[in-house]
Amino acid sequence: MEPLIELKDLEYAYPYASPALLAISLRIQRGEKIALVGSNGAGKSTLLLTLNGMIRPDKGLVTFHGNPVSYDRASLRKIRQKIGFVFQDPDVQIIAPTVWQDVAFGPVNLDYSDEQVKQVVTDALHSVGLEGFEKRPPYHLSGGEKKRVAIAGILAMDPDVLILDEPTSMLDPAGSEDIMDLLDELNHQGKTIIISTHDVELAYPWADRIVLMEKGRIIASGTPEEAFSDKELVRRARLKTPILLELSQELKSRGMKTPGTLPRTVLDIIRIIEQDHHGTIRLSDNGYGTIHVGDVDQISGPHIQAILARTSCDTIGVMGSRAKICARQWGLTPDISYAVIDKCILQAMNGRTSLILTTGGMVIRVFERVAMFNQTNNRSIPVRSLNQDVNPDKQPGI
Ligand SMILES: Nc1ncnc2c1ncn2[C@@H]1O[C@H](COP(=O)(O)OP(=O)(O)OP(=O)(O)O)[C@@H](O)[C@H]1O
């Protein structure tokens, strides 16, 4: 398959400095979620800047859709619309006095009509959960909100690819989880996402592919399990093994049976431990808790309130920006907003009931994920849709 972006034998050195990139070759497929991981100075930001022509390599070739990137003004304008870049520090990117004007900056410069600008800015602010922020001065927003403004400014130009340099730097844990959840949502909508980070715990469960960098070179590119399993490579890259992987390596070295696949989440680790105990480690006396799923675009706040009043629901999880806004408007305080499905499966295994609020295609994703878990682990955790228009007979996993 032709890659969406390809880098061939790139080399680059900043003026009066030693090479920042050496022998870089990389193929990026449409729809991938890639994390470039490496220590300070490894070359991650420089590599990202070559992807949409912000840095022109001294040697080698960058192609997009099979066409070599040209560095004339018009071509760069085009490619930067299709490959959007979110800088590490949002203050570098935010330039206008209000959120609306800032997000509208790109579309206005692309000569969109007033009507189009209005539409794309409204949609972009909706996607990142910043409706109602239109008139606010960006400089008075929190770090997480500024990051969202920067992402909205890029989304307003409808890029195929989103590049984010250290997307969670300067954010608190909840803010980081919100951003990673947003990136998942955008990827689910078809965007290719490429981030840089030195946070292995963030990259390991999130990425489809990890590209490990050291001193300007790519030293590994593979699934997170492959990239982080080689202790020597991880040491060379001045990183550390993700804690779940280290735990599973320790369990294995102590004779615990581990399945073919390595754990990416807490749920995976629990599964390994349970299998070794023949699935009897702990199951609540009540059996499994139910996972309820509601599409916030198909259901009203009062309806949810009524359901919550008559069902004992131990945990509320929200997936996606729209669900987060609705939960806030309906006066609900979510317990979880990241890795929601896995956490609700863990709750269900402890006999606890949960409610997941989300939108559209994500509802089906919940059913599919739980069905797959039930099938591979011989479980029967029930999932129920709160939306009447979903035919339970057609729902996988019930
Ligand atoms: N504007 C610049 N001028 C000169 N040298 C630079 C410049 N930007 C980066 N470098 C150098 O290029 C190399 C790669 O830096 P880069 O910022 O790409 O690494 P990084 O992996 O993104 O690091 P970090 O995680 O610290 O952001 C480093 O040696 C750095 O000192």
Side-chain angles (χ1 to χ4, degrees):
M1 202 186 349
E2 179 184 273
L4 184 62
I5 303 177
E6 184 167 16
L7 309 180
K8 281 188 204 161
D9 300 322
L10 298 198
E11 282 187 22
Y12 180 74
Y14 290 96
Y16 312 110
S18 42
L21 297 180
L22 281 161
I24 296 286
S25 290
L26 185 66
R27 291 160 72 91
I28 297 169
Q29 302 295 345
R30 180 189 296 276
E32 277 197 290
K33 283 197 295 185
I34 297 182
L36 297 190
V37 189
S39 61
N40 291 132
K44 305 179 296 293
S45 306
T46 309
L47 193 157
L48 291 182
L49 289 164
T50 65
L51 294 175
N52 73 347
M54 279 195 275
I55 279 185
R56 182 177 190 163
D58 302 327
K59 281 192 193 154
L61 188 67
V62 182
T63 64
F64 180 51
H65 284 297
N67 303 313
V69 170
S70 308
Y71 294 87
D72 59 279
R73 242 179 121 88
S75 309
L76 286 177
R77 206 169 119 107
K78 229 183 221 168
I79 198 169
R80 285 177 196 164
Q81 179 198 346
K82 285 293 150 207
I83 307 180
F85 198 105
V86 180
F87 287 89
Q88 176 171 356
D89 178 359
D91 286 336
V92 172
Q93 199 146 5
I94 292 173
I95 40 168
T98 68
V99 167
W100 176 276
Q101 286 168 301
D102 199 81
V103 177
F105 183 82
V108 167
N109 274 285
L110 290 170
D111 300 326
Y112 285 23
S113 69
D114 289 352
E115 204 43 50
Q116 278 175 313
V117 171
K118 194 170 169 207
Q119 188 62 54
V120 294
V121 174
T122 306
D123 290 350
L125 288 173
H126 173 88
S127 296
V128 301
L130 284 183
E131 286 149 323
F133 281 65
E134 291 81 357
K135 293 188 179 144
R136 304 263 304 263
Y139 294 103
H140 291 169
L141 301 180
S142 73
E145 289 162 347
K146 282 184 192 171
K147 206 57 130 188
R148 283 170 182 272
V149 173
I151 296 174
I154 298 299
L155 287 180
M157 294 185 283
D158 191 27
D160 296 335
V161 184
L162 253 93
I163 299 172
L164 300 100
D165 196 3
E166 299 278 357
T168 60
S169 66
M170 301 184 284
L171 300 186
D172 62 24
S176 299
E177 292 199 342
D178 271 355
I179 291 290
M180 298 316 284
D181 184 46
L182 172 62
L183 297 186
D184 271 347
E185 195 181 0
L186 294 170
N187 179 251
H188 191 68
Q189 291 163 12
K191 309 275 184 216
T192 304
I193 315 264
I194 307 161
I195 68 165
S196 75
T197 182
H198 38 74
D199 184 343
V200 295
E201 301 300 347
L202 177 105
Y204 180 67
W206 177 82
D208 298 332
R209 183 146 62 108
I210 298 287
V211 175
L212 279 187
M213 291 193 71
E214 184 224 3
K215 294 182 186 155
R217 293 178 189 272
I218 292 176
I219 57 169
S221 169
T223 63
E225 296 91 326
E226 285 163 0
F228 288 119
S229 288
D230 187 330
K231 287 186 177 163
E232 177 51 25
L233 276 184
V234 172
R235 191 195 58 75
R236 247 180 76 193
R238 293 165 43 86
L239 297 169
K240 64 182 196 58
T241 307
I243 191 78
L244 288 178
L245 197 52
E246 193 176 347
L247 180 57
S248 99
Q249 286 165 346
E250 286 299 325
L251 292 175
K252 193 173 177 187
S253 71
R254 279 159 179 72
M256 188 167 274
K257 283 189 243 97
T258 50
T261 52
L262 291 165
R264 294 272 295 276
T265 63
V266 171
L267 180 59
D268 292 340
I269 280 280
I270 294 290
R271 199 163 52 88
I272 289 173
I273 297 170
E274 282 210 320
Q275 272 177 5
D276 210 56
H277 287 73
H278 311 291
T280 57
I281 194 165
R282 181 153 166 250
L283 176 61
S284 157
D285 294 342
N286 310 330
Y288 300 110
T290 301
I291 299 176
H292 297 281
V293 195
D295 181 342
V296 294
D297 288 326
Q298 309 278 332
I299 214 162
S300 67
H303 185 179
I304 288 284
Q305 299 284 14
I307 290 167
L308 288 173
R310 64 167 195 268
T311 8
S312 60
C313 181
D314 303 292
T315 306
I316 299 176
V318 285
M319 279 166 64
S321 323
R322 174 112 191 92
K324 283 173 193 165
I325 295 171
C326 289
R328 207 167 47 227
Q329 286 170 348
W330 299 340
L332 303 175
T333 311
D335 303 288
I336 41 179
S337 58
Y338 189 61
V340 171
I341 309 175
D342 276 19
K343 286 179 185 164
C344 287
I345 292 176
L346 281 167
Q347 294 279 322
M349 283 164 62
N350 285 337
R352 294 164 74 86
T353 297
S354 53
L355 165 65
I356 300 178
L357 294 176
T358 187
T359 42
M362 307 286 268
V363 172
I364 297 298
R365 191 160 142 191
V366 175
F367 278 96
E368 286 173 351
R369 174 81 181 104
V370 180
M372 189 185 292
F373 179 84
N374 280 339
Q375 198 180 2
T376 46
N377 298 284
N378 201 19
R379 302 277 179 176
S380 50
I381 294 170
V383 195
R384 302 266 177 262
S385 170
L386 298 184
N387 302 96
Q388 284 117 16
D389 62 331
V390 180
N391 179 354
D393 296 337
K394 292 195 177 149
Q395 291 167 10
I398 293 189

